[in-house]
Amino acid sequence: MVDGKEASSESAAKRPDVSPASAPARPATPKPDAQPRRKAKDSGGHIITALFVIAAVIAGYWLHTGGHGRLGRAPVHHSLREVVKELLHPDKGILAADESPSTLGKKLKVPNKPATRREWRRTLLTAPGLEQHTSGVILHEETFAALGPELAELRARGVALGIKLDTGTKPLPPAKAGETITLGLDGLEARCAEFRDKHGATFAKWRSVFRVGKHTPSAGAVRRNSADLAAFAAAAQKCGLVPIVEPEVLAEGDHDIQRAAGAAARVLKGLFRALQQRGDVDLQALLLKAALVTPGRTAPQQAPPAEVATATLRVLLSSVPKAVAGIVFLSGGQSEAAATANLLALGRLVKARNAARAKAEKPPLPWALSFSFGRALTDSALAAWQAAGSRDAQPQAVAKAQDLLLERLTLNAMAQRGEGAPGQGEGEGAAKPKRKKAKKPKKAQQGGGGVEAERAAGESGAAEKARDGAAGAEAGAQ
Ligand SMILES: O=P(O)(O)OC[C@H]1O[C@](O)(COP(=O)(O)O)[C@@H](O)[C@@H]1O
């Protein structure tokens, strides 16, 4: 090997005589042994320049993308951001009453007929005082068709209406893995416009489903469902509806909480990658609907609420961009008491972290956290509603169901802020909400408002509601 030193002395030996006498007019040539040093100096300079350029490109990209790493400039939907803020009211949550007929059928002990579903939903949606702790309700399209006047009244009471726009799932090959894709992208824009214009919906929901198994959620299932959720979000925003994207990681199975957390993080990261890659979705104008991170339902060891809260927050912090305005939780088949206890533990954890951050002069954690439970708000109400043994008992059953719904809403509204005692509400009547007398819709009171408002006015009295909503099994059945 020839090192630098040897190379310079060798070249010096071969050098011709360049004394001033023999070559007076030639410009001074640089010393040959200076060249490697200059080269080294030059390449050092190049590296520094390159580092500067790379840093400038990264900073420019980051600034350009608003700090969210989003390619392209996502649109800003100011009016949708306002709707999001209202949905995230700190004292309210979103009631999920959008089960497809087959899902609701599994919970009903009475014949699953359109009229039964209508009467059950009428019971929920006409609950006096519902608006106290309900910012919005997610509905199935059949409810928009069946309960127009009741929905008009709800809107007049300040409750936003949301439409479930996915149309169910179908198996994703290989079917034996039990994975699915969600249907409903065909004709989506027209359906968005219909529910916005004809029915006054201001938000929409799309649910994808993921199973935790040995090889699932698979990368293919995450990619495909994330792309479809992102396509839904873009279409909804374009048409003027706030999208709720719901990648539900099911609790079915005997997996432990670490496994659930890993699956949830993979799914959420996949979703936000897909949303950011599209570049046409305003993250501040959407809501994420996610499951609390729990062990599988048949896991030998269940987790206490504090562990659920820690795992959930850790997954969210690692996977959800700060720009997302809010996260609402589904109940995923947890009991009413468990869902509230877990939400309370999470609310307390967030409260404690934010207090510590405020002390350290740091901003609070990103996103508002709230609930969008289905079963965990309505299970006991449904049981009470179905318990009416006779037509005469139905008004009482309706009133009882409405009270139980309000009780769950009250407890969860407190829990999301970290308020309330663990175990509160586990017994019947533990939190007695004040039963408010229903107001007549404004338009109808003023004598205006057209046919819908007139019909709504006709339905609004508590007594009439009890009679009309005497859903009970028999009255409801066609
Ligand atoms: O099977 P479907 O019809 O998609 O509905 C499933 C249900 O899951 C939810 O997304 C969450 O409900 P839960 O809180 O009961 O888990 C609801 O909004 C919806 O009613």
Side-chain angles (χ1 to χ4, degrees):
M1 195 180 115
V2 181
D3 66 16
K5 243 185 192 166
E6 283 168 339
S8 4
S9 50
E10 204 176 276
S11 55
K14 285 182 192 160
R15 237 182 298 153
D17 180 9
V18 288
S19 67
S22 60
R26 285 178 64 189
T29 9
K31 283 184 191 168
D33 69 346
Q35 286 192 6
R37 250 182 278 147
R38 177 180 295 175
K39 270 190 192 155
K41 228 179 175 180
D42 285 354
S43 58
H46 289 322
I47 290 170
I48 290 170
T49 313
L51 286 176
F52 268 118
V53 171
I54 292 169
V57 168
I58 292 172
Y61 168 74
W62 204 242
L63 285 176
H64 176 72
T65 61
H68 311 312
R70 208 180 297 141
L71 276 176
R73 206 170 266 284
V76 175
H77 292 287
H78 292 291
S79 58
L80 297 186
R81 288 182 182 188
E82 287 309 309
V83 174
V84 163
K85 266 190 211 145
E86 282 163 25
L87 287 171
L88 291 171
H89 189 291
D91 200 23
K92 298 181 183 184
I94 298 173
L95 167 64
D98 63 317
E99 310 94 326
S100 50
S102 63
T103 302
L104 182 52
K106 287 178 200 146
K107 306 185 219 171
L108 291 173
K109 292 194 176 78
V110 291
N112 181 12
K113 296 186 175 177
T116 317
R117 298 194 293 273
R118 183 190 67 221
E119 294 312 319
W120 161 237
R121 278 154 177 169
R122 189 205 299 272
T123 300
L124 295 177
L125 302 175
T126 59
L130 186 74
E131 69 279 9
Q132 286 173 56
H133 300 296
T134 309
S135 57
V137 286
I138 317 176
L139 301 164
H140 189 272
E141 61 179 84
E142 71 173 3
T143 307
F144 280 98
L147 293 175
E150 288 79 357
L151 298 186
E153 184 180 342
L154 258 190
R155 277 200 291 147
R157 285 155 66 188
V159 179
L161 306 182
I163 168 73
K164 167 194 173 74
L165 280 178
D166 67 80
T167 54
T169 58
K170 77 168 191 190
L172 173 71
K176 65 174 176 353
E179 296 193 290
T180 56
I181 53 171
T182 298
L183 304 169
L185 286 178
D186 286 346
L188 183 60
E189 282 179 28
R191 292 169 61 234
C192 284
E194 182 195 337
F195 285 97
R196 182 200 58 199
D197 298 339
K198 225 170 118 186
H199 301 290
T202 53
F203 69 101
K205 193 200 84 171
W206 182 282
R207 173 174 175 259
S208 293
V209 184
F210 298 90
R211 273 173 203 288
V212 184
K214 208 167 169 202
H215 305 292
T216 61
S218 68
V222 172
R223 231 185 351 259
R224 174 64 198 274
N225 282 298
S226 298
D228 289 354
L229 278 159
F232 152 73
Q237 286 188 345
K238 215 166 132 202
C239 141
L241 296 177
V242 167
I244 298 189
V245 287
E246 182 185 8
E248 178 173 359
V249 178
L250 295 175
E252 262 83 59
D254 60 1
H255 49 275
D256 60 20
I257 194 164
Q258 283 81 11
R259 191 106 177 247
R266 251 181 313 131
V267 164
L268 292 175
K269 282 178 182 158
L271 170 61
F272 286 103
R273 198 177 309 123
L275 283 162
Q276 288 173 331
Q277 272 167 1
R278 286 189 64 98
D280 59 353
V281 177
D282 181 359
L283 292 186
Q284 294 181 55
L286 67 66
L287 290 177
L288 169 68
K289 179 162 171 170
L292 289 151
V293 176
T294 63
R297 195 164 300 132
T298 50
Q301 206 174 337
Q302 291 300 314
E307 199 179 334
V308 170
T310 308
T312 303
L313 189 58
R314 192 173 295 146
V315 166
L316 297 178
L317 285 169
S318 73
S319 322
V320 181
K322 288 184 186 142
V324 172
I327 301 166
V328 294
F329 294 101
L330 58 97
S331 56
Q334 297 170 82
S335 70
E336 290 175 339
T340 306
N342 288 334
L343 186 66
L344 173 61
L346 183 60
R348 288 180 162 189
L349 179 63
V350 169
K351 208 161 131 182
R353 291 265 178 103
N354 280 340
R357 291 175 72 86
K359 257 192 192 162
E361 293 183 3
K362 286 186 183 168
L365 294 172
W367 341 288
L369 302 181
S370 184
F371 61 94
S372 173
F373 297 156
R375 285 164 283 183
L377 284 175
T378 58
D379 275 355
S380 43
L382 181 59
W385 182 74
Q386 296 191 98
S390 67
R391 196 172 273 270
D392 287 348
Q394 282 158 8
Q396 287 80 3
V398 167
K400 173 87 182 159
Q402 293 177 334
D403 278 350
L404 289 167
L405 169 66
L406 257 57
E407 178 178 320
R408 292 318 314 170
L409 284 162
T410 308
L411 290 169
N412 286 304
M414 287 164 68
Q416 71 187 358
R417 300 192 303 268
E419 291 167 15
Q424 193 180 354
E426 278 178 37
E428 211 182 85
K432 275 260 173 284
K434 275 204 182 114
R435 202 176 161 78
K436 265 197 170 180
K437 227 183 159 198
K439 280 189 212 142
K440 287 193 175 183
K442 279 177 202 143
K443 276 185 182 171
Q445 278 175 323
Q446 288 155 3
V451 181
E452 271 208 348
E454 276 170 32
R455 284 168 66 200
E459 301 271 341
S460 62
E464 276 168 278
K465 240 186 250 135
R467 192 191 59 238
D468 290 342
E474 297 146 26
Q478 272 182 332

